[in-house]
Amino acid sequence: MNVNVNNADTPEAATTPALTGERADLLEALAKQRHFLSFTTRDLTDEQAGQRTTASELCLGGLVKHVTEAERSWADFIVHGPVAMPDFTAMTEADFARRTDGFRMLPGETLAGVLADYAEVARRTDELLATLPDLGADHALPKAPWNEPGVRWSARRVLMHVIAETAQHAGHADIIRESLDGAKSMG
């Protein structure tokens, strides 16, 4: 079966060549989770996208920013290995504070801008994975308290992680949106 992994009717769609097999399946799964995450922001103002609605510090615009940065970082990891990511064991409080800004809408940021950045990252990731010579190519994970030393992840494993992270945050976003105005992604 020949599959184009993107739905051209959605704003988060990226343009990639028609794929088959494992790559099509993985990218289709990622596209579906991206859609669910982006869909939670439909018809919102910038102010609403930055609003906290639960006990969590998270807001919808911040979740999209976080998932965008995570996908960008992991795609860079596929290409460049652990040097594409920080050494999390050496991060300072200031580094972590800057990282926290990736979970909120900052002054001057717009929902349209956040979604456009997400669409661009999605396009780049899809293109990378459509053209990557070997999904089995791997790198050692970056230094981080949560990574076991010496563990290696293949491009395939990274993509599965990005799908899982996107799905998890799409669920968070659905709860935040329902708390905001009662709208749901499904049901």
Side-chain angles (χ1 to χ4, degrees):
M1 175 166 76
N2 223 2
V3 177
N4 189 324
V5 298
N6 302 300
N7 178 348
D9 297 333
T10 61
E12 66 276 356
T15 304
T16 60
L19 300 172
T20 59
E22 178 186 27
R23 289 176 198 246
D25 292 345
L26 291 169
L27 289 175
E28 185 176 340
L30 180 55
K32 180 180 239 178
Q33 297 312 314
R34 286 178 183 143
H35 167 76
F36 283 133
L37 177 59
S38 296
F39 187 67
T40 63
T41 67
R42 70 197 177 283
D43 303 324
L44 293 181
T45 65
D46 294 339
E47 180 181 53
Q48 289 171 312
Q51 187 176 340
R52 289 178 47 209
T53 62
T54 66
S56 169
E57 292 286 328
L58 299 173
C59 65
L60 291 170
L63 275 173
V64 174
K65 279 178 58 178
H66 168 67
V67 171
T68 301
E69 183 53 35
E71 184 171 322
R72 179 184 291 120
S73 294
W74 282 112
D76 289 345
F77 171 85
I78 288 170
V79 175
H80 303 290
V83 299
M85 296 178 140
D87 175 348
F88 292 97
T89 63
M91 288 180 70
T92 66
E93 283 190 39
D95 294 329
F96 280 109
R98 276 189 298 279
R99 217 170 135 72
T100 300
D101 285 344
F103 287 92
R104 4 174 208 244
M105 295 275 291
L106 300 176
E109 292 181 329
T110 65
L111 179 58
V114 167
L115 290 170
D117 193 29
Y118 190 35
E120 175 59 20
V121 167
R123 184 197 63 72
R124 286 178 47 222
T125 300
D126 289 357
E127 184 178 288
L128 169 67
L129 290 162
T131 60
L132 195 66
D134 180 9
L135 289 178
D138 65 4
H139 297 289
L141 290 177
K143 288 183 181 179
W146 50 86
N147 290 339
E148 209 173 303
V151 171
R152 300 179 69 84
W153 277 10
S154 67
R156 178 183 296 104
R157 177 65 185 91
V158 168
L159 182 56
M160 290 187 310
H161 175 73
V162 170
I163 292 167
E165 176 139 335
T166 305
Q168 178 181 19
H169 289 312
H172 294 147
D174 198 36
I175 291 167
I176 292 168
R177 179 62 192 257
E178 189 173 359
S179 297
L180 179 67
D181 64 3
K184 300 176 187 176
S185 294
M186 295 173 50

